[in-house]
Amino acid sequence: MKNYYSSDFKLGILGGGQLGRMLLAETQKYDIHTVILDSNKNAPCAEICNTFVLGDLLDFNAVYNFGKTVDLLTIEIENVNLDALDKLEEEGLKIFPKPRDLRIIQNKARQKNFYLDHQIPTAAFSHYAYLEELKHSYQNNIIDFPFVWKAARFGYDGNGVKIVRNIEDLEALPNVECITEKLIPFKNELAVIVARNASGEIKTYPVVEMEFHPEANQVEYVICPARIEKQIAEKARELALKVVRDLDFIGLLAVEMFQTAADEILVNEVAPRPHNSGHYSIEASYTNQFEQHLRSILDLPLGNTASKVAGIMVNLVGEAGFSGDVVYENIAEILKIDGVTPHLYGKKETRPFRKMGHVTIVDANIDIARAVAQKVKETIRVISK
Amino acid sequence: MKNYYSSDFKLGILGGGQLGRMLLAETQKYDIHTVILDSNKNAPCAEICNTFVLGDLLDFNAVYNFGKTVDLLTIEIENVNLDALDKLEEEGLKIFPKPRDLRIIQNKARQKNFYLDHQIPTAAFSHYAYLEELKHSYQNNIIDFPFVWKAARFGYDGNGVKIVRNIEDLEALPNVECITEKLIPFKNELAVIVARNASGEIKTYPVVEMEFHPEANQVEYVICPARIEKQIAEKARELALKVVRDLDFIGLLAVEMFQTAADEILVNEVAPRPHNSGHYSIEASYTNQFEQHLRSILDLPLGNTASKVAGIMVNLVGEAGFSGDVVYENIAEILKIDGVTPHLYGKKETRPFRKMGHVTIVDANIDIARAVAQKVKETIRVISK
């Protein structure tokens, strides 16, 4: 067993955003030396990791050279240069999650094909290399409105996903590789985070329930545990486990799912890292998702995924109409309420719908937590000077 | 209300040790810019605060010049140059806790006199400017063995405290200003952490119970809640509140107390900052002591001090006989147990009895937590290469 703690062991992290920042709270607890690559010198992690390296995550040389300086490599964003990771892995570097899995996940068409190949239930889809192909398909009545359009790559926080309802929506789409899906009428959006280490130990977090903002297509509340029937939760959990096992995944995998009107569970998409749907775990769980990610990639025993209390997360996104130096309005107001913890991501500039932070609300009683979450949402505003 | 978050507001912290390190986890959550002064370039905070300044905390110019660069100043260690703080405060800098309170607390004789002046129950004591004075007192039969000797200043982690049982012990004492106390036969050592902000809001954490290592005179277990009768806990809480009110204290004050055989509660000593006896709060409390310290000095509403679950803390101190590059033995073993979280302080070198970290054990059932704490204590070892 490698001596990771207070030693010369170096953990490389590709990406220095808010997920990296929350991971650093855990590497600090374990005193693990961190080296981070990001192209933004003001990235949320820049000043608080041990060593910060400026470089483009999609550039082969930047990622390869960075990888040569560390003992183990992980990611906090999946849009990284995979050719560099393949070469580093060939040369013996441990990389978790594995580049092979990142390659499947990074491209939504490949991800969907993986589900098909493994009989993992998911919404039916079509794959188009260019926008023209998609238009052609529409003109030939192969698909019809409304449908869900997803860019095959580089989507984040609801970017790269659109509901296409008419010809204007179709014309406005960018000319990129994409998939389309039937619009699924669902009862609930659920998520399950699964952790697995190299020794094969595997643990699931409780099923959470997500409420989306109707306009921004971003998660507004994440509620743990999901207020669903036990057998539905168990079905979602089993499905998430199947995805992880089929991928032979190592690390933390967030599996987003739909519960349909007929109580089918369909996999929507996965994220190979700590995820917005697991932020509640910092305050609510025995082992939070960031510590669990660390345990899984270092092949340490996995921690208890149970909750101490109910947890609800509210995303803090930039208010429409405000851009520039951020001001968080009414933080003192929300701090007056029991069980409320803000997490601000260290971004100096706000933009409409930019993820700037989140607030966790915990309480032994989930209904109280839900009421407080509503209050928090109505009170705090992310504006600019 | 000042805009502290993601802004150009600068929080200065005197001291960059483990308490500062755990405080940084909270300033990161609130995205508050931190500037830290410490004389050790490898201090636990050096690489993870926003700006690190090298300088002697006891040097007037180092502290004064540092203070001129920040918007609000706090401490993570009380042994700092108070003349510099007085001058900074005169010149308008906000400093919490207040220099006046630090002056009372920094010197144990002054602290004890404060208790006497305010009818705060404490063990009877004598004060000596030099060791010769103390010896003279012994030769004249004014005091007798055994007694407790405490250096008036610069004690930490059990250093600066001795039980003097015979003439050899007396001869071995250093020649410094000191106090002596009668050896109190006590049932329990208790502590209460109190937070108070400038607006006068005041909250107490639950009473905790401390078990000391017999040799090293360091806390071995901190148990929250203390397993004592309710009226004893209430008495301890009231006494801690009285100390805070009598000091007109702003910030976090840890009040250590004895419960005597006759169920009297005596104040032993206080610490004007987050304290070892509150580390359990990171995992167990709704609002941990470091976040609460931040809330109190920034005059934000105080958080809920209740616990989600029972918490026990085990100190990790360097094993006798080992010095040099630290190795934490059997961390993976303790991670196999539910509810166990290690905190390593980022010190590269171990020494016998040096505080290197702590482990928190949480469980809904305090008896299970206590059994696990014992197991953790017996399993993990802090040794050297």
Side-chain angles (χ1 to χ4, degrees):
Chain A
M1 177 69 68
K2 181 87 188 166
N3 177 30
Y4 303 119
Y5 325 102
S6 305
S7 74
D8 55 5
F9 172 84
K10 285 186 174 53
L11 173 64
I13 305 169
L14 295 173
Q18 65 260 23
L19 299 174
R21 190 175 167 98
M22 290 183 269
L23 183 59
L24 289 180
E26 306 309 312
T27 59
Q28 286 166 17
K29 263 166 39 182
Y30 282 79
D31 196 28
I32 292 171
H33 188 102
T34 51
V35 191
I36 287 187
L37 182 72
D38 197 290
S39 60
N40 174 4
K41 72 174 169 45
N42 298 317
C45 292
E47 288 190 343
I48 61 172
C49 59
N50 294 101
T51 309
F52 184 74
V53 180
L54 205 60
D56 186 346
L57 296 170
L58 290 167
D59 180 77
F60 180 91
N61 289 320
V63 172
Y64 177 76
N65 293 334
F66 177 81
K68 296 307 274 185
T69 67
V70 303
D71 297 300
L72 191 146
L73 192 55
T74 190
I75 54 144
E76 65 102 53
I77 183 167
E78 53 273 31
N79 290 323
V80 299
N81 189 295
L82 294 180
D83 294 335
L85 294 194
D86 284 343
K87 189 163 156 65
L88 287 163
E89 195 177 47
E90 257 175 56
E91 291 172 5
L93 184 64
K94 285 194 174 177
I95 305 175
F96 301 115
K98 288 176 286 187
R100 194 196 62 205
D101 287 340
L102 293 179
R103 205 172 278 282
I104 293 166
I105 293 165
Q106 209 184 55
N107 184 301
K108 282 186 181 149
R110 209 173 284 137
Q111 203 183 118
K112 292 289 271 191
N113 280 319
F114 179 86
Y115 301 147
L116 284 191
D117 292 348
H118 290 82
Q119 288 88 48
I120 292 165
T122 190
F125 76 104
S126 305
H127 177 205
Y128 305 96
Y130 309 98
L131 183 60
E132 275 312 307
E133 277 191 18
L134 169 54
K135 287 183 180 169
H136 196 257
S137 185
Y138 170 72
Q139 284 146 10
N140 290 285
N141 297 314
I142 296 167
I143 65 164
D144 201 4
F145 303 127
F147 62 82
V148 179
W149 169 92
K150 294 181 179 178
R153 295 195 55 184
F154 305 121
Y156 70 97
D157 293 1
N159 284 303
V161 179
K162 294 257 182 287
I163 297 175
V164 178
R165 299 184 188 278
N166 51 46
I167 191 78
E168 288 73 33
D169 289 351
L170 178 61
E171 291 292 342
L173 293 173
N175 182 24
V176 294
E177 183 189 359
C178 63
I179 62 169
T180 61
E181 289 176 354
K182 268 184 66 177
L183 198 57
I184 303 270
F186 55 82
K187 276 191 202 169
N188 280 306
E189 289 213 44
L190 308 173
V192 175
I193 291 175
V194 185
R196 184 162 172 270
N197 65 19
S199 299
E201 195 188 357
I202 190 164
K203 289 199 177 178
T204 57
Y205 279 84
V207 182
V208 302
E209 175 190 344
M210 297 183 289
E211 286 184 40
F212 275 68
H213 186 282
E215 263 177 80
N217 197 35
Q218 286 184 326
V219 177
E220 205 168 20
Y221 300 106
V222 172
I223 301 169
C224 179
R227 295 159 304 176
I228 56 175
E229 288 159 51
K230 212 174 164 182
Q231 66 268 33
I232 299 294
E234 189 50 30
K235 202 166 162 183
R237 189 180 159 269
E238 286 300 334
L239 184 54
L241 281 170
K242 174 170 168 55
V243 176
V244 166
R245 290 198 175 107
D246 287 350
L247 283 167
D248 190 24
F249 190 83
I250 294 172
L252 211 66
L253 193 79
V255 184
E256 295 186 64
M257 292 171 278
F258 296 118
Q259 176 188 0
T260 69
D263 285 343
E264 269 186 303
I265 305 289
L266 306 179
V267 171
N268 178 19
E269 58 182 53
V270 300
R273 49 167 169 76
H275 187 252
N276 196 260
S277 65
H279 289 350
Y280 77 89
S281 66
I282 298 174
E283 282 80 17
S285 305
Y286 280 93
T287 311
N288 76 52
Q289 66 166 346
F290 298 96
E291 180 177 348
Q292 198 77 295
H293 176 76
L294 204 55
R295 289 184 185 219
S296 63
I297 62 172
L298 298 177
D299 201 18
L300 292 169
L302 299 180
N304 184 358
T305 56
S307 293
K308 300 166 192 165
V309 283
I312 298 187
M313 187 214 56
V314 177
N315 274 320
L316 292 181
V317 300
E319 189 125 333
F322 293 90
S323 289
D325 288 352
V326 66
V327 174
Y328 295 93
E329 210 176 59
N330 295 330
I331 290 209
E333 284 307 305
I334 67 165
L335 292 180
K336 285 181 189 161
I337 315 170
D338 277 353
V340 170
T341 307
H343 291 258
L344 309 181
Y345 294 158
K347 300 174 182 177
K348 304 302 172 210
E349 305 229 324
T350 184
R351 291 191 299 269
F353 304 115
R354 187 180 193 196
K355 262 191 204 162
M356 299 298 290
H358 74 263
V359 180
T360 308
I361 297 98
V362 293
D363 199 284
N365 180 324
I366 196 168
D367 297 323
I368 292 174
R370 184 62 187 77
V372 170
Q374 186 86 35
K375 177 106 203 275
V376 165
K377 185 80 195 168
E378 290 163 5
T379 304
I380 197 167
R381 289 172 77 214
V382 184
I383 58 173
S384 57
K385 274 186 199 165
Chain B
M1 176 72 68
K2 181 87 189 166
N3 177 29
Y4 303 120
Y5 325 103
S6 304
S7 75
D8 55 6
F9 172 84
K10 287 187 173 54
L11 174 64
I13 305 169
L14 295 174
Q18 63 260 24
L19 299 175
R21 190 175 168 97
M22 290 183 269
L23 182 59
L24 289 180
E26 307 308 313
T27 59
Q28 287 166 17
K29 264 168 37 185
Y30 282 80
D31 197 28
I32 292 171
H33 188 102
T34 50
V35 191
I36 287 187
L37 181 72
D38 197 289
S39 61
N40 174 4
K41 72 175 168 45
N42 297 317
C45 291
E47 288 189 345
I48 61 173
C49 58
N50 294 100
T51 308
F52 184 74
V53 180
L54 204 60
D56 185 345
L57 296 170
L58 291 167
D59 179 77
F60 179 92
N61 288 319
V63 172
Y64 177 77
N65 293 333
F66 177 82
K68 296 307 275 184
T69 68
V70 302
D71 297 301
L72 190 146
L73 192 55
T74 190
I75 54 144
E76 65 102 52
I77 183 168
E78 54 274 31
N79 290 322
V80 299
N81 189 296
L82 294 180
D83 295 334
L85 294 194
D86 284 342
K87 187 162 156 66
L88 287 163
E89 196 179 46
E90 257 175 55
E91 291 172 6
L93 184 65
K94 285 192 173 178
I95 305 174
F96 300 115
K98 289 176 285 186
R100 194 198 60 205
D101 286 340
L102 293 179
R103 204 172 279 282
I104 293 167
I105 293 164
Q106 209 185 53
N107 183 302
K108 281 184 182 150
R110 210 173 284 139
Q111 204 183 119
K112 292 289 271 191
N113 279 320
F114 180 86
Y115 301 145
L116 283 191
D117 292 347
H118 291 81
Q119 287 89 49
I120 292 165
T122 191
F125 76 104
S126 305
H127 177 206
Y128 306 96
Y130 308 98
L131 183 60
E132 275 312 307
E133 277 190 19
L134 169 55
K135 286 184 181 169
H136 194 257
S137 185
Y138 170 72
Q139 283 147 12
N140 290 285
N141 296 314
I142 296 166
I143 64 164
D144 201 4
F145 303 126
F147 61 82
V148 179
W149 169 92
K150 294 181 178 177
R153 296 195 54 185
F154 306 120
Y156 70 97
D157 294 0
N159 283 304
V161 179
K162 295 257 181 286
I163 297 174
V164 178
R165 298 183 190 279
N166 51 45
I167 192 79
E168 288 74 33
D169 288 349
L170 179 60
E171 290 294 340
L173 293 173
N175 181 24
V176 293
E177 183 188 359
C178 64
I179 61 168
T180 61
E181 289 176 353
K182 268 184 69 176
L183 197 58
I184 303 271
F186 56 82
K187 276 190 199 169
N188 280 306
E189 287 213 48
L190 308 173
V192 175
I193 291 175
V194 185
R196 183 162 173 270
N197 65 19
S199 299
E201 197 188 356
I202 190 162
K203 289 199 178 181
T204 56
Y205 279 84
V207 182
V208 301
E209 175 191 344
M210 298 183 288
E211 285 184 40
F212 275 68
H213 186 283
E215 261 178 82
N217 197 36
Q218 288 184 327
V219 177
E220 204 167 21
Y221 300 105
V222 172
I223 302 169
C224 178
R227 296 160 300 177
I228 55 174
E229 288 160 53
K230 211 173 164 183
Q231 66 269 33
I232 299 295
E234 189 49 34
K235 201 167 162 183
R237 190 180 157 269
E238 286 299 335
L239 184 55
L241 280 170
K242 175 170 168 55
V243 175
V244 166
R245 291 199 175 108
D246 287 349
L247 282 168
D248 190 24
F249 189 82
I250 294 173
L252 212 65
L253 192 79
V255 184
E256 295 186 64
M257 292 170 280
F258 296 119
Q259 177 189 359
T260 67
D263 284 343
E264 269 186 303
I265 305 289
L266 305 179
V267 171
N268 178 18
E269 59 183 51
V270 299
R273 49 166 170 75
H275 187 252
N276 197 261
S277 65
H279 289 350
Y280 78 89
S281 66
I282 298 175
E283 283 79 17
S285 305
Y286 280 93
T287 311
N288 76 52
Q289 65 165 347
F290 299 96
E291 181 178 347
Q292 198 76 295
H293 176 75
L294 204 55
R295 289 184 184 218
S296 62
I297 62 172
L298 297 177
D299 201 19
L300 292 168
L302 300 180
N304 184 357
T305 55
S307 293
K308 301 166 191 164
V309 282
I312 299 187
M313 187 215 56
V314 177
N315 274 320
L316 293 181
V317 300
E319 189 125 333
F322 293 90
S323 290
D325 289 352
V326 66
V327 173
Y328 295 92
E329 210 176 59
N330 296 329
I331 288 209
E333 285 306 306
I334 66 164
L335 292 181
K336 284 180 189 161
I337 315 170
D338 277 352
V340 170
T341 307
H343 291 258
L344 309 180
Y345 294 158
K347 301 174 182 176
K348 303 304 171 209
E349 305 228 322
T350 184
R351 291 191 298 269
F353 304 115
R354 187 180 191 195
K355 264 191 202 160
M356 300 298 290
H358 74 263
V359 179
T360 308
I361 297 98
V362 291
D363 200 284
N365 181 324
I366 198 168
D367 297 324
I368 292 175
R370 184 62 186 78
V372 169
Q374 185 87 35
K375 178 107 201 276
V376 166
K377 185 81 195 168
E378 288 163 6
T379 304
I380 197 167
R381 288 174 76 215
V382 184
I383 58 174
S384 57
K385 275 188 198 162

